[in-house]
Amino acid sequence: MSFEMPGSASGSGPGPREGTDVAEPPARSRALAPTLLVLGGLVLLFIVFVGIYSDWLWFDSVDKTSVFTTTLTTQIGLFVVFGAVMGAVIGINAAIAFRSRPTFARMTPEQVSLQRYRASLEPYRLILAAGGCAFVGLMTGLSAAAEWPTYQMWREGGDFGQTDPVFGVDIGFFVFQVPWLRFLLGFLFALLLLSLVTAVAVHYLYGGLRIQGSDRGISPAAQTHLGILAGVLLVVKAGSYWLDRFELATASQSLVQGSGFTGMKYVDANAILPGKTILMFASLIVAILLFIGATRRRWALPLIGLALLVLSSIVIGWLYPAIVQTFQVSPTEEVRERPYIQNNITATRTSYGLDGSEVQDYPGKLVAPDTVMKTDKGTLDNIRLLDPAIVSPTFRQLQQIRGYYAFPDALNIDRYPLTSGTPQGAVVSVRELNQAGIPDGQRNWTNDKTVYTHGFGFVSAYDNTILKDGKPDFFERDVPPVGRLDIEQPRVYFGEMSPPYSIVGAPVGTAPQELDYPDDSSPTGQRYNTYEGTGGAAMGGLFNRLVFATKFQDANILLSDLVNEDSRVLWDRDPSDRVSKVAPWLTVDSHPYPVVQDGRITWIVDGYTTSNQYPNASRTTLSEATSDAVTTTTRSISAQARTQVTYMRNSVKATVDAYDGTVTLYQWDETDPVAQAWMRVFPGTVQPKSDIPPGVLEHIRYPEDIFKVQRAIVSRYHVTDPSTFYSGGDVWVIPFDPTKPGASAYQAPYFLTLQMPGAQEPNFSLTTSFSPSRRETLAAFMAANSTPGPDYGKIQILQMPRNTVIPGPTQVQSNFEADTTISSQLTLLRAGGSDVVPGNLLSLPVADGMLYVEPIYVAAAGDQGYPLLQKVLASYGQAVVMADTVDEALARVFNVTGGTTKESDKSTAQQKLAQALEDASKAYASGQAALAKGDFAAYGKAQDALKNALDRAAKANAEIQGKKSDVNAPNPNASPAPSQPPSEPQGEPAGEQPDNEQGA
């Protein structure tokens, strides 16, 4: 029987016969392939360099190079360390397996087959080993580099000052430490598993592991090597069991009939948690047995221990918890889960900033008092008539000026102190550049990149005032700017519609090239401008031109005479994108909004710190929570589409200058531990709250996306009693937008100026309504104070009586559409093919009840038609009216004439019926209370009051059945809207106040 070294060359196949000439390829051919590889590598390296260098130039343009260098060095460090460790450890294990191969191997059929592989691989063994280790290390390094935020939070994260109720450790451990520890354990597990697989493969290939024939077995060296690797792997598994215990507090589960629940439950705390601890110690014991077996080469006990560990993981990890759930929890689930539900409620309300919200019972009256127009003046005087999601076409027709200017599909709501310092609500927008509107035949590289470079101007209109023909009442308009905001720099080089990149600037004395705005006084009919700002990066010499030509894949940057050393390149110009790039740790709100401050147009962008690791807090998907009837047609929080969070704070207010692109971050929530940690990672990048300019501070508002998330949480977590929460009997829902028939999108929250109950003055607020589950009535009204000051961010929730039917938005819209008088007037408005467009249905808490107001717009048929406000719908209690103005609508819905109330006309028949039924309910309750106390005198009075109320109800019902109330009678002086509104704006001289119809 023959023996041979596993690595010997015998049997490797015949070589070339002696004396045989082998033709060699020409030297030029041999050099071609390496040359092409070298050139390809250089091109690839240059492309990588271009990406890094251009990013550095961009960060330098906003004076945030520290963000770039910190991020890049962290990524490189993680890439090198983890990639090198992975490649090195696998290579070391392969080398150990190779060096410990048997000196001789019996030539069984299995070994004969393997010998062929060994012989064919031997010339390339080192290359293949190095290449494999390098590839695995590269993949690992890339994966580790992506975890740089996790590493930085582990490194810089601190305490929350709050402890978990089960483990008693600070919340910061879950938020900052657990994610990085999980990554480390995952890395170690992958490292050891790949090393084990590699060692097994090498041992098998070189005869240390034989699995066929009578000679099957494993060499002593292979036993030691594989045993030690398996033992270390079990040590890592023990660490994983230890960490699993804490991750129970952040696990998504189900509670009541599959409803979502995050955090520990009874079975977790009493079965799974102790089971994880047992398995952790069992893994360590088996690991010790494996170490002993590896040194003594006795495997009976380690193998038994390993089998028992697998069995224990099934019994302890799955079977026992299932038994506890079935026989202990399910029969009395509500009692067992009560403390864990309470933990979930408390954690959720805290993590989303709802623990300080105020919930108050609201009467929900159906009849307003005589003094409503005076007592609720703060709300009624500020009813918003312009719907920012409807009037964008109107802004375009009246203020677009040229086709290459544009407004977004949904405008913004703000306020400006125009009269006596009192903030006045406004619908605002920026006149941005839209290159799609450049006339046909003028689209070329020169125009797209160097001529049409920026938008121009700011447009704003009073939100509660319209002109007599239904047009917006602009107080800032036209090109050049005309109005009351004193805009000194109206050019918009950085906006939501800006081109991907533009080349601006020119040497001093050069004729301006950039189109500024149309100007009849100019010989060409156009005014041109040269950019003089500091935004973007300087073009510089030939090298930078080559860099930007490569980055934008545009050779014209190298060839065009319009590009020179004084040119500047502007790119990444969207305000949200710029903030996201400067602060990659922020989740950016999907609604940046422009303001005018110190004569400049500035974008304000809200930034959030988020975490998915807050223990016991309910988990929310941002894309679902922030979607509504407006965001489905405009921009949404798509950048974080599937991001799930259990913690969210509006920690940063950012500004982006529309002219030079300067990005400034201001700390807003000074108590947020996540923001504090990131400020330690990037010191000096976030300015203190006290540095916010007054001109910016007065426009700060409560951000929409966090409000949408909070209202989604409030719909369930307004309930603080565990038993009620468990039963699910008091769940609220966000109503679908009732003004869009057939739509399945939530009603958007609305910015309104209103005076909430208990407030001394009206405040700019973000509001929403709730309905009971499976009902169309009103359950609650929620408002967040958006006025900067001590009450900013205060959330008030008005909870309606559960035993009173108060119409909700969907029901009110149905009442509008079902009213025959209103429907007949809408038919008149549609004369000539005009479109009737309902505006947003606003909910306003007024006089201890709920007032609904909805503007009605009419747009002429055809492409040139645009919405003009023509009518106003209003509802209070059961009354619905339509009028030409909001003043008239309020007077009629409250039955007010000339500012006073006539005694004979205090209530319509519907209001009389509603009031009578309410009085009857109260009288009945009083009677039952008196009867329980044995007070028969009081009981008799209550019965008399009940009889009186029922008589009034019967009378009111008879009146309703007998004749139609004239509450909704059409105004004899009103005329339908014109079927074709004028297509050109009727401008007013600067400084004049046009005739208008003021809101209430």
Side-chain angles (χ1 to χ4, degrees), residues 24 46 54 188 209-210 350 388 426 526 611 705 714 738 839 960:
E24 295 185 1
F46 182 71
S54 60
L188 291 174
L209 179 62
R210 302 175 299 278
T350 301
Q526 309 285 351
S611 174
D705 283 339
V714 164
I960 294 173

Side-chain angles (χ1 to χ4, degrees), residues 67 70-71 74 147-158 175-176 582-587 608-611 651-652 665 667 672-686:
V67 176
T70 299
T71 303
T74 304
E147 295 294 328
W148 73 268
T150 308
Y151 166 75
Q152 289 289 9
M153 285 295 92
W154 168 78
R155 185 168 174 261
E156 299 291 350
V175 174
F176 300 124
V582 165
W585 44 278
L586 286 177
T587 297
Y608 309 113
T609 51
T610 61
S611 174
S651 298
V652 171
L665 308 177
Q667 185 180 13
D672 176 27
V674 180
Q676 293 170 358
W678 281 114
M679 290 171 66
R680 290 191 289 270
V681 174
F682 301 112
T685 58
V686 181

Side-chain angles (χ1 to χ4, degrees), residues 399-483:
Q399 286 294 314
Q400 186 176 10
I401 309 298
R402 290 293 185 270
Y404 47 79
Y405 291 133
F407 296 99
D409 292 333
L411 309 182
N412 285 284
I413 299 295
D414 202 354
R415 66 279 195 209
Y416 284 86
L418 300 174
T419 305
S420 303
T422 302
Q424 168 68 56
V427 175
V428 303
S429 187
V430 168
R431 188 183 292 106
E432 292 208 53
L433 175 67
N434 175 26
Q435 290 189 338
I438 298 176
D440 294 338
Q442 297 186 22
R443 295 300 301 273
N444 54 58
W445 187 88
T446 298
N447 281 340
D448 285 357
K449 306 305 180 187
T450 66
V451 177
Y452 292 90
T453 60
H454 60 280
F456 197 97
F458 187 88
V459 180
S460 54
Y462 298 100
D463 70 346
N464 67 338
T465 303
I466 58 170
L467 303 182
K468 288 185 177 180
D469 56 2
K471 297 176 184 175
D473 184 7
F474 296 107
F475 62 85
E476 187 67 36
R477 62 192 187 277
D478 297 345
V479 172
V482 175

Side-chain angles (χ1 to χ4, degrees), residues 590 621-628 631 636-637 705-706 708-709:
S590 58
T621 303
L622 290 182
S623 61
E624 296 176 1
T626 59
S627 177
D628 57 38
T631 57
S636 64
I637 199 166
D705 283 339
I706 194 172
K708 293 175 187 177
V709 171

Side-chain angles (χ1 to χ4, degrees), residues 227-373:
I228 291 175
L229 284 177
V232 177
L233 189 62
L234 280 181
V235 172
V236 174
K237 184 61 179 177
S240 181
Y241 281 130
W242 174 81
L243 194 62
D244 287 346
R245 298 161 60 251
F246 297 100
E247 291 182 328
L248 291 172
T250 58
S252 294
Q253 307 188 60
S254 62
L255 184 61
V256 185
Q257 296 179 348
S259 62
F261 183 86
T262 305
M264 273 202 178
K265 299 194 302 181
Y266 179 90
V267 70
D268 299 318
N270 295 276
I272 298 179
L273 181 60
K276 294 286 185 182
T277 304
I278 293 172
L279 291 174
M280 178 186 68
F281 286 110
S283 298
L284 291 175
I285 292 172
V286 176
I288 294 173
L289 293 177
L290 285 171
F291 292 144
I292 295 173
T295 56
R296 296 187 178 183
R297 302 185 183 92
R298 300 181 184 276
W299 296 102
L301 195 58
L303 292 177
I304 293 173
L306 196 60
L308 290 176
L309 178 62
V310 174
L311 181 62
S312 299
S313 65
I314 297 174
V315 174
I316 299 176
W318 176 78
L319 184 59
Y320 177 63
I323 293 173
V324 171
Q325 177 68 36
T326 302
F327 296 101
Q328 281 191 283
V329 177
S330 296
T332 56
E333 186 174 49
E334 189 272 325
V335 176
R336 298 282 189 184
E337 301 290 6
R338 190 178 299 161
Y340 304 100
I341 294 174
Q342 185 61 65
N343 291 341
N344 175 257
I345 292 173
T346 302
T348 300
R349 291 177 60 86
T350 301
S351 68
Y352 290 99
L354 294 169
D355 48 339
S357 60
E358 293 184 1
V359 181
Q360 62 185 94
D361 292 332
Y362 192 67
K365 292 184 177 179
L366 301 175
V367 179
D370 301 350
T371 58
V372 60
M373 300 293 280

Side-chain angles (χ1 to χ4, degrees), residues 21-255:
D21 293 331
V22 179
E24 295 185 1
R28 186 175 300 174
S29 300
R30 293 199 304 269
L32 180 60
T35 302
L36 291 177
L37 288 174
V38 170
L39 289 177
L42 291 175
V43 170
L44 181 62
L45 287 175
F46 182 71
I47 292 174
V48 173
F49 167 79
V50 165
I52 296 175
Y53 178 62
S54 60
D55 276 350
W56 185 86
L57 290 176
W58 189 93
F59 279 97
D60 184 58
S61 72
V62 293
D63 195 26
K64 294 292 188 298
T65 54
S66 61
V67 176
F68 175 77
T69 54
T70 299
T71 303
L72 184 61
T73 53
T74 304
Q75 290 175 328
I76 292 175
L78 293 174
F79 175 85
V80 171
V81 170
F82 284 89
V85 169
M86 176 65 78
V89 170
I90 291 177
I92 290 171
N93 279 278
I96 291 173
F98 177 77
R99 289 181 177 274
S100 62
R101 66 193 185 279
T103 306
F104 298 99
R106 186 184 298 274
M107 292 308 296
T108 62
E110 178 185 21
Q111 291 302 312
V112 171
S113 177
L114 289 175
Q115 176 62 25
R116 297 193 186 98
Y117 289 106
R118 289 197 291 263
S120 60
L121 293 177
E122 185 62 27
Y124 312 104
R125 174 169 52 84
L126 294 178
I127 295 176
L128 291 174
C133 291
F135 177 78
V136 174
L138 176 65
M139 295 296 101
T140 302
L142 292 174
S143 176
E147 295 294 328
W148 73 268
T150 308
Y151 166 75
Q152 289 289 9
M153 285 295 92
W154 168 78
R155 185 168 174 261
E156 299 291 350
D159 291 339
F160 270 61
Q162 305 163 9
T163 57
D164 172 76
V166 176
F167 296 99
V169 299
D170 190 87
I171 302 298
F173 173 76
F174 295 89
V175 174
F176 300 124
Q177 308 299 318
V178 168
W180 180 248
L181 293 177
R182 174 54 65 191
F183 170 76
L184 285 180
L185 287 171
F187 167 76
L188 291 174
F189 194 85
L191 174 68
L192 293 167
L193 189 60
L194 288 174
S195 297
L196 187 61
V197 171
T198 302
V200 168
V202 175
H203 281 300
Y204 175 71
L205 183 62
Y206 287 94
L209 179 62
R210 302 175 299 278
I211 60 176
Q212 295 179 5
S214 59
D215 194 41
R216 60 179 178 271
I218 181 170
S219 67
Q223 293 182 41
T224 302
H225 187 194
L226 299 180
I228 291 175
L229 284 177
V232 177
L233 189 62
L234 280 181
V235 172
V236 174
K237 184 61 179 177
S240 181
Y241 281 130
W242 174 81
L243 194 62
D244 287 346
R245 298 161 60 251
F246 297 100
E247 291 182 328
L248 291 172
T250 58
S252 294
Q253 307 188 60
S254 62
L255 184 61

Side-chain angles (χ1 to χ4, degrees), residues 945-993:
L946 177 61
K947 181 179 183 303
N948 178 268
L950 293 176
D951 289 342
R952 287 188 283 115
K955 183 178 179 181
N957 185 59
E959 184 177 347
I960 294 173
Q961 299 298 326
K963 64 177 181 178
K964 176 73 177 176
S965 172
D966 63 352
V967 172
N968 297 320
N971 183 355
N973 298 321
S975 59
S979 60
Q980 177 61 51
S983 60
E984 294 297 329
Q986 305 296 319
E988 293 81 26
E992 289 189 18
Q993 293 300 309

